Amino acid sequence: MHDNFPRGTICIEDLEIGMSRHLTKEITCNDIELFAQVSTDRNPVHMDDAYARDTIFEGRIAHGMLTAGLISAVIGEQLPGHGTVYLGQSLKFLAPVRPGDRVTATVTVLSIDHGKRRVQLNTVATIDGKPVMKGEATVLAPSRKLD
């Protein structure tokens, strides 16, 4: 996994509109199998090569929520980071993610409500620059004033 900034916390007092963080991860067959174990989603389009070849995807694909989990990792580890509480997330899946794909998850600050400690984030996952998932997240950011 590769990310562009160290993990930790950026308190709401230090956030700026346009601030962005990302990570890149190659999705492996093992990742898909582990996600299936944890989620109990063993849909054969994710697990069975022969079955998946006969679907509209023409092969195995990763769970959409596995890709969404990379967004969660950026939010929980980098922007805003440790201490952040997820309040909501919208997602639109644009293209399948397959074993061997290198997915880049990027989070960018759209707006900040200092009074409520709420931050609106643009969230996108790409493969070779092509969006495969996009959405927006609302989070409760950590504050130095409360710690």
Side-chain angles (χ1 to χ4, degrees), residues 9-138:
T9 304
I10 303 173
C11 292
I12 194 165
E13 294 86 1
D14 300 321
L15 291 176
E16 298 175 8
I17 293 173
M19 188 178 278
S20 185
R21 300 290 186 269
H22 72 268
L23 67 77
T24 301
K25 180 181 186 344
E26 181 177 336
I27 302 299
T28 67
C29 290
N30 190 51
D31 293 329
I32 294 168
E33 291 179 23
L34 288 171
F35 190 87
Q37 280 185 317
V38 170
S39 68
T40 72
D41 177 356
R42 300 195 59 80
N43 183 327
V45 76
H46 306 303
M47 309 305 295
D48 183 331
D49 288 317
Y51 175 91
R53 272 194 300 275
D54 292 333
T55 69
I56 62 169
F57 301 111
E58 299 177 341
R60 276 179 76 191
I61 61 170
H63 303 74
M65 297 310 287
L66 173 57
T67 303
L70 299 178
I71 295 292
S72 179
V74 176
I75 290 171
E77 293 286 338
Q78 296 182 43
L79 184 64
H82 299 172
T84 301
V85 176
Y86 240 120
L87 299 175
Q89 173 79 57
S90 67
L91 295 171
K92 184 170 185 170
F93 298 98
L94 306 171
V97 173
R98 301 178 187 284
D101 284 343
R102 287 181 51 84
V103 177
T104 299
T106 304
V107 173
T108 305
V109 176
L110 293 175
S111 66
I112 305 166
D113 181 336
H114 290 276
K116 294 183 180 178
R117 290 181 37 218
R118 299 239 161 100
V119 181
Q120 193 74 20
L121 303 164
N122 182 62
T123 59
V124 64
T126 60
I127 298 171
D128 296 326
K130 177 186 171 197
V132 294
M133 185 191 75
K134 65 180 181 177
E136 287 190 10
T138 304

